[in-house]
Structure formats: structure tokens, C-alpha cells
Amino acid sequence: MTNELMLELQYSSPLLIMAAMSVILILFDAITGENKKINYYLSIATFAAAFVAAGSLILSNNFCCMSNLSAYPLSMGMISYSGLAYLFDLIFLAAGLLVVVASREYNMRADFEHKEFYSLLSLAILAMMMISHANDLLLLFIGIELMSIMFYVLSGYFRERLESVEAALKYFLLGAFATGFLLYGIAFIYGTAGSVQLSTISEVLLKGGFNNLYITLGLGLFTIGLAFKIAAFPFHQWAPDVYTGAPTVVTAFMSTAGKAAAVFAFIIMSKNMMQSGILAVNPSYIFHIQMIIAVISAATMLVGNITAISQSNVKRMLAYSSVAHAGYMLMGIVANTPDGWAGVAFYSTAYMLMQIGAFIVVSALEGNNGEMVDFEHYAGLYRTRPVLAGVMALFMLSLAGIPPFAGFFGKYYIFKAAIASGFTWLTIIAVISSIISMYFYLKLIVFMYFKEAGLYEHKQELGSAGFSLLVAAVFIVLLGIFPNVIIDIARMFVY
């Protein structure tokens, strides 16, 4: 084997593991009969193996060379082997591990455990990893659409429930509409640049392509498509209905790993443009793009948090909260600096732990048919389920951005990067939005600790979901105490 091929196999190992095992999981669906345990444990082993592979590459002594590896003709230049991509791989795989471990009891309780659940989850993670390693628009689009298709199916996984089917249908119809924007955007960019390679597109922009109406229109349409995927204003209307109607463990995965993947697509685009030197040639062009995304970010934060105040359903409140957090993540894109991108990586990690943890608590407390998810059902929870009330309070405080938890430092790094880039006004709006969000996060804590217990009984056993909750809670605290662990790794790969 040539050195090139050996390098490609080595650095593609996380992707190859997920691709091969996703196919094997599908085959096991067909040949293992009614035995669902095999797929469950095989999916855990797959995610763990890919996690170890990506982690080992990050810790490799030769990793300093990987940031330049995309310059080599590996995979015809379609795949990037940047360190930041592997860091996001770890986020996707960690989310998958937490969700799959928590999902089995949840699906069994709903009397709807089927083997294809694990195959769909595996393919969704593979799609996210394709997004993080994309070095051209074609691979980026395939990754986004494969992820979306898996989410359409997972949203309607409880196909005997009307709300689950409705969620899948709404997501599919609006998602197909957003796909049109992505494709038209790619078509305009390709028609102008003559290539889907991000490096070539950046070179065209550097040579004056920003004066071309069609490439600007293409970038605008592509941005709209990505804004839909992260549920940013005004393309957020689908999120509350889909997140509420989908199985709770699926919502936990979609609203965290799926959002992080779409945000990373923004990072890929902005990072390539910055590295090409466009800022030095035409700073006003970059500034106009920053201003557009800044307005979207501000509106997303305000709309998400203000609308969440009026919600009486905990899942719906967390859904609107998820919209607001998309706005916070966009602030790192607005900053358009290495510190901003590193801040997004830290925020994505913290948000994944907080949101998945909160939804696992919801899944553990809700009834077999998806009922008992209103605020009133949590009244006096600390008397009947003190451990669940305690970890839920931890997740709410972290989501609100209260120190010393990971959520606080996630916002701190994002806000700091935005201020350094001259977007103080956006940071002020973000701070106001965070203050607004404290109302509904603390409201749930008040219900759990200061309201009289109702007639509702939460008899469900945690099972293996307790492990996911423990991991999420412990790392939220640890990242609050040692935030530099993630941020320093991220900064090492973006500079």
C-alpha cells in the first residue's frame, strides 16, 4: 500500500467503522429474528469503537500534521481530516451512546422496541460525521440529507401514535422544502465557480467572485437551508411540533447532535472563506454576511426564549429552548474567528450533555403513551423521585447559564468571541435572552421543589437510562470546573 492510502485508511477509520457497522446492523435486522438485544449491544459497541478511533487520532503524536492533510489528494479531496472535525465526531458519538443506552427501556415501556431503531441511529451519526469531514458541497449535501431522512423516520418511529406520525409528516414536508433551498444554492455556486470543492469556491471568491450576483444568491440560499436544519428564526416553526411529537429519546438526539452537525456546516463554510484571505481583499463582503447571521441569531434567541415562557408542556418548553440555543451557537459563526469556532465546539459539547440529560429525565417520567409531560406533573417531584428532581434541576441551571456549570462557560466563550469581533450589541441581546430564559428554567425547579405533590405517580424504573443521566450530570459539573479541557483542544485545531 502507498503511504497515501495508509494515511487515508488511518484517518478515515471512524467513518469506515460507522459505515461498515451501519450496513452490518441492517443485515442483522434481517437475520436475527426477534432478538433485539444483539442490535442494541452491537450499536453500543459500534459507537464506542468509532469514539475510540476518533479520540486516538486526536491524541496522536502526529496529529499536528492532520490540519493540512486535506491538501493531499486523498478521497479525491472530498474529505477533510481536520482536528475540529474529529472533535465534533466525538460529540456526535457521545450523544449517540447516551441516547442508545437510555432508549431501550423507553421503547420497551412504550411496547415498541424494534431493531431498526439502532440502524437508523447509526446511519444518522454516520451522516453527521460526513458533514463534519466534508470538503466539498456535494458530500456536505449528502450528509445533511442522509441525516434528515433518518430523522424523518425516527420522528415517526412510534407509528401507532398520531402525534408521532404528524411530527414525521411535518418534518418531511418542511424538510423537503428546505432541501430545495440547499440544492438551488449549490447549483448557483457550482454554476459560477465551476466546482463544488470548497477550496476552489474560496479561490473564486478571492479573485472577485463576490461581485457575482449568482454566487451571492447561492450562498444566501444555502444559508437559508442550513438555518432550517438548526431551527433558526424564521425557519424554526417546525421544531416545537416535531420535537414534541417525536419519541422523547429521539428528540434528545435530534435537538443536540443534529443541531451541532448543521452548525458545523456553517463553520466549514466560514472557515474556508477566512482561510482563503477574502477578509483582507473585501472585508465589507464578510461583514455583510456577519450582519445577516447576527440578525438571525438575535431574533432566534429572543423568539425562542420569549415563546418558551408561555409553554405548559415541558417537552414543548425544551423545544423552544432548543430554538434559542441555536441562536447562541450562531454567535460563534457571527464572530467568524478561531475563538468563535472553538466556542461553538465547547457550547455544542455542553449543550449536548444538558439537553440530552433533560430529555432523558422527561422520558423516564412520562407515561407509557407519552402523557404526563406538563409542568403540573412535576409538582412535588423531589418528594417522590428526589434523584431525578436533583439531576433535572442541575440540567435546568446549566441550560440557564448559571455558574459553575458547563452551560455558563459555553455562553461565556461564545459571548467573549462576539464582543472581540465587535458585536457587543448582539451579546447584550444574548444576555437579555438568557435572563428571560431563567424564568421557565427556574419555573420547573419551583414546581419540583416548592409545589405540593399532585395525584400523579411516576413509577417508571430508570434502568440503563440512569447510566446516561449519571454521565451527563457528572460531565456538566466537570466541564464547569475544568472548562479549559475542551476549549484548549478546540483552539489547538482552529488556529
Side-chain angles (χ1 to χ4, degrees):
M1 290 187 181
T2 63
N3 289 335
E4 249 177 41
L5 183 55
M6 287 297 293
L7 279 173
E8 182 165 13
L9 291 175
Q10 179 185 353
Y11 292 129
S12 299
S13 56
L15 282 164
L16 293 174
I17 290 171
M18 287 304 302
M21 294 308 295
S22 295
V23 175
I24 291 172
L25 277 169
I26 294 173
L27 293 176
F28 269 90
D29 286 352
I31 65 177
T32 54
E34 295 300 317
N35 191 340
K36 306 174 184 72
K37 285 186 178 180
I38 294 178
N39 284 56
Y40 171 70
Y41 289 114
L42 192 59
S43 62
I44 292 176
T46 299
F47 301 164
F51 188 93
V52 170
S56 65
L57 286 170
I58 285 181
L59 297 174
S60 169
N61 293 329
N62 297 323
F63 194 76
C64 59
C65 305
M66 290 177 58
S67 58
N68 299 319
L69 206 59
S70 57
Y72 290 81
L74 305 177
S75 304
M76 299 176 64
M78 294 180 68
I79 298 178
S80 168
Y81 299 97
S82 70
L84 198 59
Y86 288 104
L87 183 58
F88 270 81
D89 285 349
L90 294 181
I91 295 173
F92 306 146
L93 291 163
L97 280 167
L98 292 175
V99 168
V100 77
V101 168
S103 65
R104 189 152 192 259
E105 277 79 8
Y106 176 79
N107 290 335
M108 289 173 66
R109 200 166 66 239
D111 196 25
F112 212 83
E113 186 194 10
H114 295 290
K115 294 175 294 182
E116 62 266 23
F117 180 87
Y118 309 111
S119 302
L120 293 168
L121 206 61
S122 177
L123 286 168
I125 294 175
L126 172 62
M128 294 172 192
M129 293 171 69
M130 290 171 64
I131 294 171
S132 66
H133 289 276
N135 203 35
D136 72 20
L137 293 179
L138 183 59
L139 186 61
L140 191 63
F141 175 76
I142 293 172
I144 290 171
E145 285 312 300
L146 178 59
M147 178 184 73
S148 298
I149 291 169
M150 296 305 106
F151 284 169
Y152 301 152
V153 181
L154 284 169
S155 298
Y157 180 70
F158 287 165
R159 52 183 176 269
E160 295 177 0
R161 293 184 187 174
L162 179 61
E163 62 271 20
S164 185
V165 176
E166 181 184 351
L169 184 60
K170 286 181 178 178
Y171 197 8
F172 170 71
L173 292 175
L174 292 173
F177 187 68
T179 297
F181 283 99
L182 282 173
L183 277 176
Y184 270 115
I186 292 172
F188 278 121
I189 294 171
Y190 175 73
T192 306
S195 174
V196 290
Q197 287 276 340
L198 293 176
S199 57
T200 304
I201 295 168
S202 297
E203 289 175 6
V204 171
L205 286 170
L206 184 61
K207 294 176 181 177
F210 41 74
N211 294 319
N212 189 298
L213 173 63
Y214 295 108
I215 200 166
T216 301
L217 184 60
L219 289 172
L221 291 172
F222 195 80
T223 300
I224 290 173
L226 290 181
F228 173 89
K229 301 301 179 183
I230 67 171
F233 179 86
F235 314 104
H236 68 288
Q237 295 93 335
W238 62 272
D241 290 340
V242 173
Y243 289 177
T244 304
T248 304
V249 290
V250 172
T251 301
F253 186 65
M254 288 194 302
S255 64
T256 54
K259 196 180 294 291
V263 170
F264 191 77
F266 272 112
I267 294 178
I268 292 171
M269 298 294 290
S270 60
K271 197 164 180 279
N272 271 273
M273 292 176 69
M274 291 297 291
Q275 288 177 341
S276 69
I278 297 173
L279 182 61
V281 176
N282 195 330
S284 64
Y285 186 80
I286 298 296
F287 179 74
H288 289 149
I289 295 175
Q290 287 176 291
M291 283 300 298
I292 292 170
I293 299 177
V295 170
I296 294 173
S297 172
T300 302
M301 289 184 285
L302 290 172
V303 169
N305 283 322
I306 292 172
T307 312
I309 289 176
S310 61
Q311 305 305 313
S312 60
N313 182 295
V314 176
K315 280 184 73 174
R316 201 165 182 85
M317 177 272 285
L318 289 172
Y320 277 109
S321 162
S322 179
V323 171
H325 284 281
Y328 297 129
M329 291 184 187
L330 283 177
M331 290 180 66
I333 309 302
V334 172
N336 204 31
T337 61
D339 279 346
W341 302 326
V344 172
F346 184 93
Y347 198 97
S348 297
T349 305
Y351 178 66
M352 179 268 292
L353 294 167
M354 300 182 292
Q355 187 82 339
I356 286 181
F359 272 115
I360 289 176
V361 173
V362 174
S363 70
L365 295 176
E366 71 180 50
N368 295 342
N369 295 312
E371 71 278 10
M372 297 180 67
V373 290
D374 290 339
F375 276 86
E376 62 183 26
H377 298 131
Y378 287 72
L381 182 65
Y382 88 99
R383 294 184 179 90
T384 56
R385 304 293 292 271
V387 174
L388 284 181
V391 293
M392 191 61 156
L394 172 69
F395 297 140
M396 293 300 104
L397 292 173
S398 188
L399 283 166
I402 294 176
F405 305 115
F408 168 78
F409 287 99
K411 290 181 178 178
Y412 168 76
Y413 291 125
I414 292 282
F415 294 176
K416 182 181 176 183
I419 292 173
S421 295
F423 288 89
T424 305
W425 64 270
L426 180 60
T427 307
I428 293 172
I429 292 176
V431 171
I432 294 171
S433 297
S434 296
I435 294 172
I436 293 171
S437 72
M438 288 184 186
Y439 174 83
F440 51 83
Y441 290 132
L442 295 180
K443 176 183 174 182
L444 184 58
I445 296 176
V446 168
F447 266 84
M448 292 189 297
Y449 282 89
F450 301 103
K451 295 285 186 180
E452 289 296 327
L455 301 175
Y456 314 105
E457 294 186 30
H458 302 285
K459 297 181 178 180
Q460 296 85 346
E461 294 296 325
L462 270 179
S464 59
F467 174 79
S468 295
L469 278 180
L470 177 64
V471 171
V474 167
F475 275 92
I476 283 173
V477 175
L478 287 178
L479 287 179
I481 299 172
F482 308 105
N484 288 340
V485 172
I486 299 294
I487 200 70
D488 287 347
I489 293 174
R491 281 173 176 165
M492 182 171 60
F493 299 144
V494 296
Y495 277 98

